[in-house]
Coordinates of all heavy atoms in Angstrom, one line a residue:
G26 N 34.1 59.6 14.4 CA 34.3 59.2 15.8 C 34.1 57.7 16.0 O 33.6 57.1 15.1
D27 N 34.5 57.3 17.2 CA 34.4 55.9 17.6 C 33.0 55.6 18.2 O 32.8 56.0 19.3 CB 35.5 55.6 18.5 CG 35.6 54.1 19.0 OD1 34.5 53.5 19.1 OD2 36.7 53.6 19.3
V28 N 32.1 54.9 17.5 CA 30.8 54.7 18.0 C 30.8 53.9 19.3 O 30.0 54.2 20.2 CB 29.9 54.0 16.9 CG1 28.6 53.6 17.4 CG2 29.8 54.9 15.7
G29 N 31.6 52.9 19.4 CA 31.7 52.1 20.7 C 32.1 52.9 21.9 O 31.5 52.8 22.9
A30 N 33.1 53.7 21.7 CA 33.5 54.6 22.8 C 32.5 55.6 23.1 O 32.2 55.9 24.2 CB 34.8 55.3 22.4
G31 N 31.8 56.1 22.0 CA 30.7 57.1 22.2 C 29.5 56.5 23.0 O 28.9 57.2 23.8
E32 N 29.3 55.1 22.8 CA 28.2 54.5 23.6 C 28.5 54.7 25.1 O 27.6 54.9 25.9 CB 28.0 53.1 23.2 CG 26.9 52.4 23.9 CD 26.5 51.1 23.4 OE1 27.3 50.5 22.6 OE2 25.5 50.5 23.8
Q33 N 29.8 54.4 25.5 CA 30.1 54.5 26.9 C 30.0 55.9 27.4 O 29.5 56.1 28.5 CB 31.5 54.0 27.1 CG 31.7 52.5 26.6 CD 33.0 51.9 27.1 OE1 33.9 52.5 27.4 NE2 33.0 50.6 27.1
V34 N 30.5 56.9 26.6 CA 30.2 58.3 27.0 C 28.8 58.6 27.2 O 28.4 59.3 28.2 CB 30.8 59.3 25.9 CG1 30.6 60.7 26.3 CG2 32.3 59.0 25.8
F35 N 28.0 58.1 26.3 CA 26.5 58.4 26.4 C 25.9 57.8 27.7 O 25.2 58.5 28.4 CB 25.8 57.8 25.1 CG 24.3 58.1 25.1 CD1 23.9 59.2 24.4 CD2 23.4 57.3 25.6 CE1 22.6 59.6 24.3 CE2 22.0 57.6 25.6 CZ 21.6 58.7 24.9
N36 N 26.3 56.5 27.9 CA 25.7 55.9 29.1 C 26.1 56.5 30.4 O 25.3 56.7 31.3 CB 26.1 54.4 29.1 CG 25.4 53.6 28.1 OD1 24.3 54.0 27.5 ND2 26.0 52.5 27.7
A37 N 27.3 57.2 30.4 CA 27.8 57.8 31.6 C 27.3 59.2 31.8 O 27.2 59.8 32.9 CB 29.3 57.8 31.6
N38 N 27.0 59.9 30.7 CA 26.7 61.4 30.7 C 25.3 61.9 30.2 O 25.0 63.0 30.5 CB 27.8 62.1 30.0 CG 29.2 61.9 30.5 OD1 29.5 62.6 31.5 ND2 30.0 61.0 30.0
C39 N 24.7 61.0 29.4 CA 23.5 61.5 28.7 C 22.3 60.7 29.0 O 21.2 61.2 28.9 CB 23.8 61.4 27.1 SG 25.4 61.8 26.6
A40 N 22.5 59.4 29.4 CA 21.4 58.5 29.6 C 20.4 58.9 30.7 O 19.2 58.6 30.7 CB 21.8 57.1 29.8
A41 N 20.9 59.7 31.7 CA 20.0 60.2 32.7 C 18.8 61.0 32.1 O 17.7 60.8 32.7 CB 20.8 61.1 33.7
C42 N 19.0 61.7 31.1 CA 18.0 62.5 30.4 C 17.5 61.8 29.1 O 16.4 62.1 28.6 CB 18.4 63.9 30.2 SG 18.7 64.8 31.7
H43 N 18.4 61.0 28.5 CA 18.1 60.5 27.1 C 18.2 59.0 27.0 O 18.5 58.5 26.0 CB 19.1 61.1 26.2 CG 19.1 62.6 25.9 ND1 18.0 63.2 25.4 CD2 20.0 63.6 26.2 CE1 18.3 64.5 25.3 NE2 19.5 64.8 25.8
A44 N 17.7 58.3 28.1 CA 17.7 56.8 28.0 C 16.9 56.4 26.8 O 15.8 56.9 26.6 CB 17.2 56.3 29.3
G45 N 17.4 55.4 26.1 CA 16.6 54.9 24.9 C 16.4 55.9 23.8 O 15.5 55.7 23.0
G46 N 17.2 57.0 23.8 CA 17.1 58.0 22.8 C 15.9 59.0 23.1 O 15.6 59.8 22.2
Q47 N 15.3 58.8 24.3 CA 14.2 59.7 24.6 C 14.7 61.0 25.3 O 15.9 61.3 25.3 CB 13.2 59.0 25.5 CG 12.6 57.7 24.8 CD 12.0 58.0 23.5 OE1 11.0 58.8 23.3 NE2 12.6 57.5 22.3
N48 N 13.7 61.8 25.8 CA 14.1 63.1 26.5 C 13.1 63.3 27.6 O 11.9 63.5 27.4 CB 14.0 64.2 25.5 CG 14.6 65.5 26.1 OD1 14.4 65.8 27.3 ND2 15.2 66.4 25.3
V49 N 13.6 63.1 28.9 CA 12.7 63.1 30.0 C 12.3 64.6 30.4 O 11.3 64.8 31.1 CB 13.3 62.4 31.3 CG1 13.6 61.0 31.0 CG2 14.6 63.2 31.7
I50 N 13.0 65.6 29.8 CA 12.7 67.0 30.2 C 11.8 67.6 29.1 O 10.8 68.3 29.5 CB 14.0 67.8 30.4 CG1 14.8 67.2 31.6 CG2 13.6 69.3 30.6 CD1 16.1 68.0 31.8
M51 N 12.1 67.4 27.9 CA 11.3 67.9 26.8 C 11.0 66.7 25.8 O 11.8 66.5 25.0 CB 12.1 69.0 26.0 CG 12.4 70.3 26.8 SD 12.9 71.6 25.8 CE 11.5 72.0 24.9
P52 N 9.9 66.1 26.2 CA 9.6 64.8 25.5 C 9.6 64.8 24.0 O 9.9 63.7 23.4 CB 8.2 64.4 26.1 CG 8.1 65.2 27.4 CD 8.9 66.5 27.1
E53 N 9.3 65.9 23.3 CA 9.3 65.9 21.9 C 10.7 65.9 21.3 O 10.9 65.5 20.2 CB 8.4 67.0 21.3 CG 9.0 68.4 21.5 CD 8.8 69.1 22.8 OE1 8.5 68.3 23.8 OE2 9.0 70.3 22.9
K54 N 11.7 66.4 22.1 CA 13.0 66.6 21.6 C 13.8 65.3 21.9 O 14.8 65.4 22.6 CB 13.7 67.8 22.2 CG 12.9 69.1 21.6 CD 13.7 70.4 21.8 CE 13.0 71.5 21.1 NZ 13.7 72.8 21.4
T55 N 13.5 64.2 21.2 CA 14.2 63.0 21.4 C 15.4 63.0 20.5 O 15.7 64.0 19.8 CB 13.3 61.8 20.9 OG1 13.1 61.8 19.5 CG2 11.9 61.9 21.6
L56 N 16.1 61.9 20.6 CA 17.3 61.7 19.7 C 17.0 60.8 18.5 O 17.9 60.2 17.9 CB 18.5 61.1 20.5 CG 18.8 61.9 21.8 CD1 20.1 61.3 22.5 CD2 19.0 63.4 21.6
E57 N 15.7 60.6 18.2 CA 15.3 59.8 17.1 C 15.5 60.6 15.8 O 15.5 61.8 15.8 CB 13.9 59.3 17.3 CG 13.9 58.3 18.4 CD 12.5 57.8 18.8 OE1 11.5 58.4 18.3 OE2 12.4 56.9 19.6
K58 N 15.6 59.9 14.7 CA 15.9 60.5 13.4 C 15.0 61.7 13.1 O 15.5 62.8 12.8 CB 15.8 59.4 12.3 CG 16.2 59.9 11.0 CD 16.3 58.7 10.0 CE 16.7 59.2 8.6 NZ 16.8 58.0 7.7
A59 N 13.7 61.5 13.2 CA 12.8 62.5 12.7 C 12.8 63.8 13.7 O 12.8 64.9 13.2 CB 11.3 62.0 12.7
A60 N 13.1 63.5 15.0 CA 13.2 64.6 15.9 C 14.4 65.5 15.7 O 14.4 66.7 15.7 CB 13.1 64.1 17.3
L61 N 15.5 64.7 15.4 CA 16.8 65.5 15.1 C 16.7 66.3 13.9 O 17.1 67.4 13.8 CB 18.0 64.5 15.0 CG 18.3 63.7 16.3 CD1 19.5 62.8 16.1 CD2 18.6 64.7 17.5
E62 N 16.0 65.8 12.9 CA 15.8 66.5 11.6 C 15.0 67.7 11.9 O 15.2 68.8 11.3 CB 15.2 65.5 10.6 CG 16.2 64.5 10.0 CD 15.6 63.4 9.2 OE1 14.3 63.4 9.1 OE2 16.3 62.7 8.6
Q63 N 14.0 67.6 12.7 CA 13.1 68.7 13.0 C 13.6 69.7 13.9 O 13.4 71.0 13.7 CB 11.7 68.1 13.5 CG 10.6 69.2 13.7 CD 9.3 68.6 14.1 OE1 9.1 67.4 14.1 NE2 8.3 69.5 14.3
Y64 N 14.3 69.3 15.0 CA 14.6 70.2 16.1 C 16.1 70.6 16.2 O 16.4 71.7 16.7 CB 14.1 69.7 17.4 CG 12.7 69.4 17.5 CD1 12.2 68.2 17.7 CD2 11.8 70.5 17.5 CE1 10.8 67.9 17.9 CE2 10.4 70.2 17.6 CZ 9.9 68.9 17.8 OH 8.6 68.7 17.9
L65 N 17.0 69.7 15.9 CA 18.4 70.0 16.2 C 18.9 71.2 15.3 O 18.8 71.1 14.1 CB 19.2 68.7 16.0 CG 20.7 68.9 16.2 CD1 21.0 69.3 17.7 CD2 21.4 67.6 15.9
A66 N 19.4 72.2 16.0 CA 20.0 73.4 15.2 C 21.1 72.9 14.3 O 22.1 72.3 14.7 CB 20.4 74.4 16.3
G67 N 20.9 73.1 13.0 CA 22.0 72.8 12.0 C 21.7 71.4 11.4 O 22.4 71.0 10.5
G68 N 20.7 70.7 11.8 CA 20.2 69.5 11.2 C 20.8 68.2 11.8 O 21.5 68.3 12.8
R69 N 20.4 67.1 11.3 CA 20.8 65.8 11.9 C 22.2 65.4 11.4 O 22.3 64.7 10.3 CB 19.8 64.7 11.6 CG 20.0 63.4 12.3 CD 19.0 62.3 12.0 NE 19.1 61.8 10.6 CZ 19.9 60.8 10.3 NH1 20.6 60.2 11.2 NH2 20.0 60.4 9.0
N70 N 23.2 65.9 12.0 CA 24.6 65.6 11.6 C 25.5 65.7 12.8 O 25.1 66.3 13.8 CB 25.1 66.4 10.4 CG 25.1 67.9 10.8 OD1 26.0 68.4 11.5 ND2 24.1 68.7 10.4
E71 N 26.7 65.1 12.7 CA 27.6 65.0 13.8 C 28.0 66.3 14.3 O 28.1 66.6 15.5 CB 28.8 64.1 13.5 CG 28.4 62.6 13.3 CD 29.6 61.7 13.2 OE1 30.7 62.1 13.5 OE2 29.3 60.6 12.7
K72 N 28.3 67.2 13.4 CA 28.7 68.6 13.7 C 27.7 69.3 14.6 O 28.1 70.0 15.6 CB 29.1 69.4 12.5 CG 29.7 70.8 12.7 CD 30.3 71.3 11.4 CE 30.9 72.7 11.6 NZ 29.8 73.7 11.6
A73 N 26.5 69.2 14.3 CA 25.3 69.9 15.0 C 25.2 69.2 16.4 O 25.0 70.0 17.4 CB 24.0 69.7 14.2
V74 N 25.4 67.9 16.5 CA 25.4 67.3 17.9 C 26.6 67.8 18.7 O 26.4 68.2 19.9 CB 25.4 65.7 17.8 CG1 25.5 65.1 19.2 CG2 24.2 65.3 17.0
I75 N 27.8 67.9 18.1 CA 29.0 68.3 18.8 C 28.7 69.8 19.3 O 29.0 70.1 20.5 CB 30.2 68.3 17.8 CG1 30.6 66.9 17.6 CG2 31.3 69.1 18.4 CD1 31.6 66.7 16.5
T76 N 28.1 70.6 18.5 CA 27.9 72.0 18.9 C 26.9 72.0 20.1 O 27.2 72.8 21.1 CB 27.3 72.8 17.7 OG1 28.2 72.8 16.7 CG2 26.9 74.2 18.1
Q77 N 25.8 71.3 20.1 CA 24.9 71.3 21.2 C 25.5 70.7 22.4 O 25.2 71.3 23.5 CB 23.6 70.6 20.8 CG 22.6 70.6 22.0 CD 21.1 70.7 21.6 OE1 20.8 71.2 20.5 NE2 20.3 70.2 22.4
V78 N 26.2 69.6 22.3 CA 26.8 69.0 23.5 C 27.8 69.9 24.1 O 28.0 70.0 25.3 CB 27.4 67.6 23.2 CG1 28.2 67.0 24.3 CG2 26.2 66.6 22.8
T79 N 28.6 70.5 23.3 CA 29.7 71.5 23.8 C 29.1 72.6 24.5 O 29.5 73.0 25.6 CB 30.6 71.9 22.6 OG1 31.2 70.8 22.0 CG2 31.7 72.8 23.1
N80 N 28.1 73.2 23.9 CA 27.5 74.5 24.4 C 26.3 74.4 25.3 O 26.0 75.3 26.0 CB 27.2 75.4 23.2 CG 28.4 75.7 22.4 OD1 29.5 75.8 22.9 ND2 28.2 75.9 21.1
G81 N 25.6 73.2 25.2 CA 24.3 73.1 25.9 C 23.2 73.9 25.2 O 23.5 74.6 24.2
K82 N 22.0 73.7 25.7 CA 20.9 74.5 25.2 C 19.8 74.4 26.2 O 19.3 73.3 26.6 CB 20.4 73.8 23.8 CG 19.3 74.7 23.2 CD 18.9 74.1 21.8 CE 17.7 74.9 21.3 NZ 17.1 74.2 20.1
N83 N 19.3 75.6 26.6 CA 18.2 75.6 27.6 C 18.5 74.7 28.8 O 19.5 74.9 29.4 CB 16.9 75.4 26.9 CG 16.5 76.4 25.8 OD1 16.8 77.5 26.0 ND2 16.1 75.8 24.7
A84 N 17.7 73.7 29.1 CA 17.8 72.9 30.3 C 18.9 71.8 30.1 O 19.2 71.1 31.0 CB 16.5 72.2 30.6
M85 N 19.4 71.7 28.8 CA 20.5 70.7 28.6 C 21.9 71.4 29.0 O 22.2 72.5 28.4 CB 20.6 70.2 27.2 CG 21.8 69.3 27.0 SD 21.6 68.4 25.4 CE 23.3 68.1 25.0
P86 N 22.6 70.8 29.9 CA 23.9 71.4 30.3 C 25.0 71.3 29.3 O 25.0 70.5 28.3 CB 24.4 70.5 31.5 CG 23.7 69.2 31.3 CD 22.4 69.5 30.6
A87 N 25.9 72.2 29.3 CA 27.1 72.3 28.4 C 28.1 71.2 28.9 O 28.4 71.2 30.1 CB 27.7 73.7 28.4
F88 N 28.7 70.5 28.0 CA 29.7 69.5 28.3 C 31.1 69.9 27.9 O 32.1 69.2 28.2 CB 29.3 68.1 27.7 CG 28.2 67.5 28.4 CD1 26.9 67.8 28.0 CD2 28.3 66.6 29.4 CE1 25.7 67.2 28.7 CE2 27.3 66.0 30.1 CZ 26.0 66.3 29.7
G89 N 31.2 71.0 27.2 CA 32.6 71.5 26.9 C 33.3 71.8 28.2 O 32.7 72.5 29.1
G90 N 34.6 71.3 28.3 CA 35.3 71.5 29.5 C 35.1 70.3 30.5 O 35.9 70.1 31.4
R91 N 33.9 69.6 30.4 CA 33.7 68.5 31.3 C 34.0 67.2 30.5 O 34.4 66.2 31.1 CB 32.2 68.4 31.7 CG 31.8 69.6 32.6 CD 30.3 69.6 32.8 NE 29.8 68.3 33.3 CZ 28.6 67.9 33.4 NH1 27.6 68.8 33.0 NH2 28.2 66.8 33.9
L92 N 33.8 67.1 29.2 CA 34.2 66.0 28.3 C 35.3 66.6 27.4 O 35.3 67.7 27.0 CB 33.0 65.5 27.6 CG 31.9 64.8 28.3 CD1 30.8 64.5 27.4 CD2 32.4 63.5 29.0
S93 N 36.2 65.6 27.0 CA 37.2 66.0 26.0 C 36.5 66.2 24.6 O 35.5 65.6 24.4 CB 38.3 65.0 25.9 OG 37.7 63.8 25.4
D94 N 37.2 66.9 23.7 CA 36.7 67.0 22.4 C 36.6 65.6 21.7 O 35.6 65.4 21.0 CB 37.7 67.9 21.5 CG 37.7 69.3 21.9 OD1 36.9 69.8 22.7 OD2 38.6 70.1 21.4
E95 N 37.5 64.7 22.1 CA 37.4 63.4 21.5 C 36.1 62.7 22.0 O 35.4 62.0 21.2 CB 38.6 62.6 21.9 CG 38.7 61.2 21.3 CD 40.0 60.4 21.6 OE1 40.7 60.8 22.5 OE2 40.2 59.4 21.0
D96 N 35.9 62.7 23.3 CA 34.6 62.1 23.9 C 33.4 62.7 23.2 O 32.5 62.0 22.9 CB 34.6 62.3 25.4 CG 35.5 61.4 26.2 OD1 36.0 60.4 25.6 OD2 35.7 61.7 27.4
I97 N 33.4 64.0 23.0 CA 32.2 64.7 22.4 C 32.0 64.2 20.9 O 30.9 63.9 20.5 CB 32.3 66.2 22.6 CG1 32.2 66.6 24.0 CG2 31.3 66.9 21.7 CD1 32.5 68.1 24.3
A98 N 33.1 64.1 20.2 CA 33.0 63.6 18.8 C 32.5 62.2 18.8 O 31.7 61.8 18.0 CB 34.4 63.7 18.1
N99 N 33.0 61.4 19.7 CA 32.6 59.9 19.8 C 31.1 59.9 20.1 O 30.4 59.1 19.5 CB 33.5 59.2 20.8 CG 34.9 59.0 20.2 OD1 35.2 59.1 19.1 ND2 35.8 58.7 21.2
V100 N 30.6 60.6 21.1 CA 29.2 60.5 21.5 C 28.4 61.1 20.4 O 27.2 60.5 20.2 CB 29.0 61.2 22.9 CG1 28.8 62.7 22.8 CG2 27.7 60.6 23.5
A101 N 28.8 62.1 19.6 CA 28.0 62.6 18.5 C 28.0 61.5 17.5 O 26.9 61.3 16.8 CB 28.7 63.8 17.9
S102 N 29.0 60.7 17.2 CA 29.0 59.6 16.2 C 28.0 58.6 16.7 O 27.2 58.0 15.9 CB 30.4 59.0 16.1 OG 31.3 59.9 15.5
Y103 N 28.0 58.2 17.9 CA 27.1 57.3 18.5 C 25.6 57.8 18.4 O 24.7 56.9 17.9 CB 27.4 57.0 20.0 CG 26.3 56.1 20.7 CD1 26.2 54.8 20.4 CD2 25.5 56.7 21.6 CE1 25.3 54.0 21.0 CE2 24.5 55.9 22.2 CZ 24.4 54.5 21.9 OH 23.4 53.8 22.5
V104 N 25.3 59.0 18.7 CA 24.0 59.6 18.5 C 23.4 59.5 17.1 O 22.3 59.0 16.8 CB 23.9 61.0 19.1 CG1 22.5 61.7 18.7 CG2 24.0 60.9 20.6
I105 N 24.3 59.9 16.2 CA 23.9 59.9 14.8 C 23.7 58.5 14.2 O 22.7 58.2 13.6 CB 24.9 60.7 13.9 CG1 24.8 62.2 14.3 CG2 24.5 60.5 12.4 CD1 23.4 62.9 14.1
A106 N 24.7 57.6 14.6 CA 24.6 56.2 14.1 C 23.4 55.5 14.6 O 22.6 54.8 13.9 CB 25.9 55.4 14.4
T107 N 23.0 55.8 16.0 CA 21.9 55.1 16.6 C 20.6 55.7 16.1 O 19.6 55.0 16.0 CB 22.1 55.1 18.1 OG1 23.4 54.7 18.4 CG2 21.0 54.2 18.7
S108 N 20.6 57.0 15.8 CA 19.4 57.6 15.2 C 19.0 56.9 13.9 O 17.9 56.8 13.5 CB 19.5 59.1 15.1 OG 20.3 59.5 14.0
E109 N 20.1 56.6 13.2 CA 19.9 55.9 11.8 C 19.4 54.5 12.0 O 18.5 54.0 11.3 CB 21.2 55.9 11.1 CG 21.2 55.5 9.6 CD 20.4 56.5 8.8 OE1 20.6 57.7 8.9 OE2 19.5 56.0 8.1
A110 N 20.0 53.8 13.0 CA 19.7 52.3 13.2 C 18.4 52.1 13.9 O 17.8 51.1 13.8 CB 20.9 51.7 13.9
G111 N 18.0 53.2 14.7 CA 16.9 53.0 15.6 C 17.4 52.7 17.0 O 18.2 51.8 17.2
W112 N 16.8 53.3 18.0 CA 17.2 53.2 19.4 C 16.7 51.9 20.0 O 17.2 51.5 21.0 CB 16.7 54.4 20.2 CG 17.5 55.7 19.9 CD1 17.3 56.5 18.9 CD2 18.8 56.1 20.6 NE1 18.3 57.5 18.9 CE2 19.2 57.3 19.9 CE3 19.5 55.6 21.6 CZ2 20.3 58.0 20.3 CZ3 20.6 56.3 22.0 CH2 21.1 57.5 21.4
D113 N 15.6 51.3 19.4 CA 15.1 50.1 20.1 C 15.9 48.9 19.9 O 16.3 48.5 18.8 CB 13.7 49.9 19.5 CG 12.8 51.0 19.9 OD1 12.9 51.6 21.0 OD2 11.9 51.4 19.1
Ligands
HEM212 C1 18.4 68.0 23.5 C2 22.3 65.1 23.1 C3 22.9 65.2 27.9 C4 18.7 67.5 28.4 C5 19.4 67.2 22.9 C6 19.6 67.0 21.6 C7 20.7 66.2 21.4 C8 21.2 65.9 22.8 C9 21.4 65.7 20.1 C10 18.7 67.6 20.4 C11 17.5 66.7 20.4 C12 16.3 67.3 19.6 O1 16.4 68.6 19.4 O2 15.4 66.6 19.1 C13 22.8 64.9 24.3 C14 24.1 64.2 24.6 C15 24.3 64.3 25.9 C16 23.1 65.0 26.5 C17 24.9 63.5 23.5 C18 25.5 63.8 26.7 C19 26.7 64.2 26.4 C20 21.8 65.7 28.4 C21 21.5 65.8 29.8 C22 20.3 66.4 30.0 C23 19.8 66.8 28.6 C24 22.3 65.2 30.9 C25 19.4 66.8 31.2 C26 20.1 67.2 32.4 C27 18.3 67.9 27.1 C28 17.2 68.8 26.8 C29 17.1 69.0 25.4 C30 18.2 68.1 24.9 C31 16.3 69.5 27.9 C32 16.2 69.9 24.7 C33 16.9 71.2 24.6 C34 16.1 72.3 23.9 O3 16.0 72.3 22.7 O4 15.5 73.2 24.6 N1 20.4 66.5 23.7 N2 22.3 65.4 25.5 N3 20.8 66.4 27.7 N4 18.8 67.5 25.9 FE1 20.6 66.5 25.7

């Protein structure tokens, strides 16, 4: 996916709960590398992010039907790339 386009999707749809790669609702479930490796169902990879964003999980809403498949793929690329680079 397109990381730059994904950053715009993230800022518009995810940052309310995940600003700076954090998590305001479940503080341990951040978007940082170690947390994704520990908590994300399916591991720290784009496919697993796509699944969670499409379907939602617990207090995280589902974005399937609200975002296009392309937007979801792009935001997943942005999340994985930024978890690798560091959110700071
Ligand atoms: C968890 C991505 C929007 C609330 C996660 C995780 C990812 C993610 C990758 C797994 C983190 C981990 O397990 O360490 C995104 C993306 C979003 C988005 C890319 C935008 C498209 C939101 C919004 C909210 C939210 C808007 C709040 C209304 C949560 C919560 C969890 C979570 C509560 C923990 C779910 C659980 O395991 O129970 N998010 N998120 N997310 N997100 Fe989001």
Side-chain angles (χ1 to χ4, degrees):
D27 180 329
V28 172
E32 181 173 14
Q33 298 193 340
V34 174
F35 187 89
N36 289 337
N38 295 279
C39 319
C42 296
H43 293 298
Q47 300 306 296
N48 188 325
V49 299
I50 298 180
M51 294 191 71
E53 72 280 18
K54 293 194 172 178
T55 73
L56 308 185
E57 291 175 349
K58 186 174 181 180
L61 294 179
E62 287 170 351
Q63 184 171 356
Y64 299 118
L65 180 61
R69 189 180 70 89
N70 61 78
E71 291 185 20
K72 185 164 179 281
V74 177
I75 288 169
T76 297
Q77 179 147 336
V78 170
T79 301
N80 299 330
K82 185 180 178 186
N83 300 317
M85 176 166 153
F88 288 86
R91 295 173 53 193
L92 292 176
S93 68
D94 290 351
E95 184 180 13
D96 281 347
I97 291 172
N99 289 341
V100 80
S102 295
Y103 172 72
V104 167
I105 293 301
T107 310
S108 74
E109 190 66 47
W112 287 86
D113 297 324

